[in-house]
Amino acid sequence: MNVDEMKDVREFRAGAPKPDRARLAEGRDRLSSAAGRGRGRRLRADWRFAAVGAAAALTAVAVLASGLGGGGHSGAERTVPATRTVPGSVKEVLERAASTLERADPPPTPHAGQWVYEKKLSTTPGMWPKSKAAQPEPEPQEHWVRYADPRFENGKEGDDRSMRERLRFLDELPDDPAAVLKKVRAYYPSGKGSPESEGEQDMSALRVLFKSQPIPPQALAKLYRALAAVPGVEVTDHLVRDLAGRDVLAVGHDVKGQKVRREILIDPHTYQYLGDRWIVVKDYKDSFPGADDTPDRPWKAGDLMFQNALLATGIVDHKGDRP
């Protein structure tokens, strides 16, 4: 990372709490999306960035917007809600999701030399104070990341993981949800002195793994059951609209005293992962110590702080290609 990119990091996270390793998993992903708008700069694709970008192709295996929005993998049972109401507890909803995915056909395994392609919509809070100029509507961004990146497979990468390493980890997950969470915490530790609860740390790591592509449906089923076992996880009792205007299930972590609810967004028909968001659950202000010319930033309950909507993804042979 060069000097300009470090400056971007500081500006982007100016109002955020002091970061630890788990929190960086989410913040860097959003930084990667923000940096992609209007720039050709490449940001590091590790677990903290969670940038699932990558390239497109000739022998493409793709789950495009139609599949992500409702078609899904071949073999997956289509379960259509009769209304916008979401019946059942979070465990019941995610068990339906897991059971459906277990009947789906797995995608072909990529090989070294291929790329993972991703197209998504993203919004961030932007700079503060806000300028008087009208904020542009978010536009779809495309990303390409090597499936097997040698820079992240040399034994010195620390928390950085190539997509191949992440998928190998997912293939080896046990069936027991508690055991899955234990392995996930060890794979993506938060570090000593983290101010977050164990449930928040679990959410940070799980949200990175949900972005793995192409995630086998059986592994996704295990992640959903593990998500249901995280203390404080709830499902919104109605479908919500994501950034792309789609009706989605929202599964979030909400505990006493928490200011922001982190949510996983799931297709209500095929139960594919469709994105994530942060939604403010109580009024508060961000302050900027040491920045005398920067006023406090107020947040109101219901404000959407961050949002990502996955539109398309696929495995391709060359960077720059599309499925």
Side-chain angles (χ1 to χ4, degrees), residues 28-317:
R28 284 194 171 184
D29 180 41
R30 296 182 178 85
L31 172 61
S32 178
S33 298
R37 287 193 287 272
R39 309 184 202 177
R41 182 176 299 164
R42 184 192 64 79
L43 294 177
R44 210 170 169 198
D46 61 17
W47 82 277
R48 290 157 294 185
F49 273 96
V52 186
L58 303 179
T59 57
V61 179
V63 181
L64 298 178
S66 58
L68 290 167
H73 291 297
S74 174
E77 178 182 340
R78 184 179 176 87
T79 307
V80 183
T83 68
R84 290 181 58 84
T85 300
V86 177
S89 66
V90 64
K91 288 188 177 182
E92 291 170 335
V93 170
L94 291 178
E95 181 56 39
R96 287 198 297 268
S99 297
T100 299
L101 288 166
E102 286 176 330
R103 296 191 292 273
D105 298 330
T109 302
H111 59 72
Q114 290 187 306
W115 295 71
V116 181
Y117 167 85
E118 182 189 69
K119 182 178 182 181
K120 68 179 181 180
L121 284 172
S122 298
T123 59
T124 66
M127 300 303 294
W128 181 259
K130 293 181 179 179
S131 69
K132 295 182 180 180
Q135 298 297 313
E137 290 294 320
E139 296 183 358
Q141 301 295 318
E142 296 177 298
H143 305 274
W144 290 263
V145 163
R146 286 185 179 182
Y147 168 68
D149 193 327
R151 296 171 301 171
F152 304 130
E153 296 185 350
N154 58 12
K156 301 178 182 179
E157 66 274 10
D159 290 331
D160 299 342
R161 312 284 185 184
S162 72
M163 196 62 69
R164 178 166 64 179
E165 285 187 326
R166 285 161 61 175
L167 292 180
R168 286 174 176 172
F169 172 78
L170 291 171
D171 281 339
E172 297 172 355
L173 287 178
D175 292 327
D176 179 60
V180 171
L181 289 178
K182 184 177 180 179
K183 286 181 69 72
V184 167
R185 293 185 201 115
Y187 199 61
Y188 289 133
S190 294
K192 296 180 180 180
S194 172
E196 296 182 319
S197 67
E198 186 173 80
E200 290 174 303
Q201 294 169 6
D202 289 341
M203 287 293 290
S204 295
L206 285 171
R207 292 173 76 243
V208 178
L209 290 171
F210 280 124
K211 298 171 188 289
S212 303
Q213 296 293 342
I215 186 168
Q218 289 74 19
L220 184 56
K222 293 178 181 180
L223 290 183
Y224 282 152
R225 290 190 174 107
L227 176 62
V230 174
V233 164
E234 300 175 346
V235 62
T236 301
D237 62 5
H238 60 276
L239 298 178
V240 304
R241 289 277 166 80
D242 75 350
L243 193 58
R246 302 171 297 194
D247 284 342
V248 297
L249 296 166
V251 179
H253 184 262
D254 199 354
V255 295
K256 185 177 181 180
Q258 188 170 288
K259 298 175 182 177
V260 178
R261 174 184 169 97
R262 307 172 188 184
E263 295 182 335
I264 302 295
L265 305 179
I266 302 170
D267 189 296
H269 312 304
T270 64
Y271 300 112
Q272 293 298 314
Y273 167 82
L274 290 184
D276 56 18
R277 68 181 187 175
W278 283 12
I279 185 167
V280 178
V281 294
K282 63 183 295 186
D283 296 355
Y284 78 101
K285 291 182 180 179
D286 273 331
S287 59
F288 305 87
D292 296 336
D293 59 343
T294 303
D296 290 348
R297 179 176 193 144
W299 293 100
K300 297 291 185 183
D303 286 348
L304 280 173
M305 185 176 285
F306 300 105
Q307 189 168 187
N308 293 305
L310 183 62
L311 304 178
T313 184
I315 301 299
V316 296
D317 291 335

